[in-house]
Amino acid sequence: MFCSQCGAENPDGAKFCSKCGAKLGVHANLSEEATNSEAESSTGLSANVAGLLCYVALWITGIVFIVLEKKSIFVKFHAWQSIMTFGVLTVIQIILSIIGAATFIFSPGWWFVHVLGIIVWVIIGILWIILIIQAGSGKMWKVPWAGDFAEKQISK
């Protein structure tokens, strides 16, 4: 499926363009107000501000907005994406830390695990900045695997 806004190719069944965040043809059943990033969320904030705040404390604020948000699909999307993206990366970081501590004592190759940990931290930082900017500017930019999960959760 191709986006009518930017022409990017998207997987069949996608609800938002993976390049520009525009609604795709499948979204005809969602109300314009629910997906509009300028609309007010049920938290009293504008949807793009609430979407931005979903990422501020990584997955923790995502959970807060999943609990609080009742009407804005835009905010729910960013909350679920925050939970999945940073939740999984946090678990990976914890696992690498545990392995790093164990290999530091028992293995001369401990530095490899620590380098992987640094790479994960860099990925977290870059994604955090990108996602805050995208949500704040009203775009439903998707992290490839987490965005797909978030789209499935908001369509339930």
Side-chain angles (χ1 to χ4, degrees):
M1 170 182 313
F2 291 93
C3 176
S4 60
Q5 299 292 322
C6 69
E9 187 173 0
N10 292 282
D12 290 337
K15 297 175 183 175
F16 298 95
C17 177
S18 59
K19 183 175 179 185
C20 71
K23 290 188 303 182
L24 298 175
V26 177
H27 261 97
N29 60 345
L30 295 175
S31 71
E32 183 66 30
E33 182 178 332
T35 59
N36 184 359
S37 65
E38 298 300 319
E40 187 174 297
S41 74
S42 59
T43 61
L45 301 167
S46 68
N48 61 333
V49 171
L52 176 151
L53 292 174
C54 290
Y55 297 107
V56 170
L58 304 177
W59 54 271
I60 296 168
T61 48
I63 292 172
V64 169
F65 277 94
I66 283 297
V67 171
L68 295 177
E69 185 57 50
K70 304 298 181 215
K71 66 180 183 178
S72 174
I73 289 175
F74 181 82
V75 176
K76 288 180 184 180
F77 169 81
H78 285 292
W80 277 112
Q81 181 165 264
S82 173
I83 292 167
M84 287 308 298
T85 301
F86 297 114
V88 168
L89 288 171
T90 300
V91 168
I92 291 170
Q93 187 63 38
I94 291 169
I95 291 169
L96 287 173
S97 297
I98 292 169
I99 292 170
T103 58
F104 181 72
I105 297 169
F106 301 113
S107 173
W110 63 270
W111 61 270
F112 180 72
V113 177
H114 290 284
V115 169
L116 286 177
I118 291 168
I119 291 170
V120 171
W121 278 117
V122 169
I123 290 169
I124 289 171
I126 291 169
L127 278 174
W128 184 72
I129 291 167
I130 290 170
L131 290 168
I132 284 176
I133 291 169
Q134 294 295 327
S137 63
K139 295 180 183 171
M140 292 181 78
W141 188 79
K142 289 184 353 180
V143 174
W145 49 272
D148 294 336
F149 176 84
E151 277 187 340
K152 289 177 187 170
Q153 293 304 309
I154 62 172
S155 63
K156 285 184 178 181

